[in-house]
Amino acid sequence: MTEIFGSDAYAPRDIAARVSDVGVAKARLPLLTLWLLGMLAGAFIGLGALMFALVASDATLGFAAQRLLGGLAFSLGLILVSVAGAELFTGNNLIAMAWASRRVSTAELLRNWVVACAGNLAGAAGLAVLVWLAGLAALNHGALGQTLVQIATTKAQLPWGEAFFRGVLCNLLVCMAVWMTLAGRSVTDKVLAIVFPITAFVAAGFEHSVANLFFFPMAWLLGAPITLAAMLGNLLPVIAGNIVGGSVLVAAVYWVIYLRPADRSSP
């Protein structure tokens, strides 16, 4: 049954099949295409992160308003990825559904993740350079620059355990947003599917590895004394957490529900 109460959205079982089909296509993208789309995704998420920092730099906002409005602004990143087209490492953790069905090999899965993540880094860092050259850190009498440095510094000081579990929670919501975009049939459907989960993860302070690939280079360019070891101390557990949140808590769970082979031992 693909329609409920007259809705034209795809039903969850249909979404699972679509996610698996999309995963196969993503895993077999040509290398140059995957790299360039990865760069675009990194830049798009970086733009969302910049918009979040812009909202966070306004000291007149209360805590809840600042977090909610900042999360709403950050949604720009995944909207651009989903509607304009790009390859985002965190969203591509859903390829695990096609892998679990043996439609994608382990090598193809890891190739996509590694190239997409590297492309995301290049795009996010490249955007940071452009923002720095444009002098945008001076906005709000320099408060934007101070906020960008503060965000990166706070992330660099997170204990590994907290960074990991914040990464898990983040990509649970990101991959649910991506999952729900595949339920829709229009741009409006996709935008509405994205806004609430992304606003929630940002407002709650969860950790998104690709956003952090923008924040750390941006902070370096602004003179923040963050060491490479401190940066990796955030990125490594966050990436691991993102993989668990997306590949296990979303992809694996829905694969078991909708796509696992029938139990041949049952009558």
Side-chain angles (χ1 to χ4, degrees), residues 2-262:
T2 58
E3 295 188 4
I4 301 175
F5 303 124
S7 170
D8 66 349
Y10 288 96
R13 186 178 298 276
D14 297 325
I15 300 171
R18 297 189 77 199
V19 169
S20 183
D21 290 343
V22 169
V24 173
K26 286 178 174 290
R28 294 171 185 166
L29 283 172
L31 184 61
L32 179 60
T33 300
L34 177 58
W35 170 257
L36 292 175
L37 288 173
M39 289 183 65
L40 286 177
F44 292 160
I45 296 299
L47 286 170
L50 178 64
M51 293 302 98
F52 166 77
L54 186 64
V55 173
S57 71
D58 187 347
T60 66
L61 293 172
F63 173 77
Q66 188 181 82
R67 304 297 291 189
L68 288 172
L69 290 174
L72 181 63
F74 185 91
S75 300
L76 168 69
L78 191 58
I79 290 171
L80 288 171
V81 168
S82 297
V83 177
E87 291 294 310
L88 181 64
F89 162 71
T90 48
N92 285 7
N93 289 165
L94 288 174
I95 296 174
M97 290 192 76
W99 174 83
S101 295
R102 299 184 180 179
R103 301 180 66 195
V104 166
S105 69
T106 301
E108 289 174 322
L109 174 74
L110 294 178
R111 169 185 176 272
N112 180 278
W113 286 359
V114 170
V115 176
C117 191
N120 293 169
L121 169 60
L127 177 71
V129 172
L130 291 176
V131 170
W132 177 66
L133 291 173
L136 297 184
L139 290 177
N140 195 12
H141 307 289
L144 177 57
Q146 294 171 10
T147 300
L148 287 164
V149 169
Q150 181 182 13
I151 290 171
T153 301
T154 300
K155 289 177 179 295
Q157 295 172 348
L158 272 179
W160 275 57
E162 288 186 20
F164 172 80
F165 286 108
R166 290 189 188 194
V168 171
L169 291 166
C170 167
N171 216 29
L172 168 62
L173 286 172
V174 170
C175 284
M176 284 308 307
V178 174
W179 175 277
M180 291 191 296
T181 65
L182 291 173
R185 299 173 184 266
S186 70
V187 171
T188 301
D189 294 340
K190 292 179 183 293
V191 171
L192 288 175
I194 287 168
V195 165
F196 291 102
I198 300 306
T199 298
F201 106 67
V202 175
F206 300 155
E207 289 288 308
H208 190 270
S209 56
V210 180
N212 293 0
L213 292 176
F214 168 78
F215 284 125
F216 285 122
M218 192 73 247
W220 278 347
L221 289 167
L222 295 174
I226 299 173
T227 65
L228 179 60
M231 183 189 77
L232 293 176
N234 172 275
L235 289 175
L236 294 179
V238 169
I239 288 172
N242 286 168
I243 291 173
V244 171
S247 296
V248 178
L249 298 187
V250 179
V253 169
Y254 275 123
W255 181 85
V256 170
I257 294 169
Y258 293 119
L259 300 181
R260 78 183 190 281

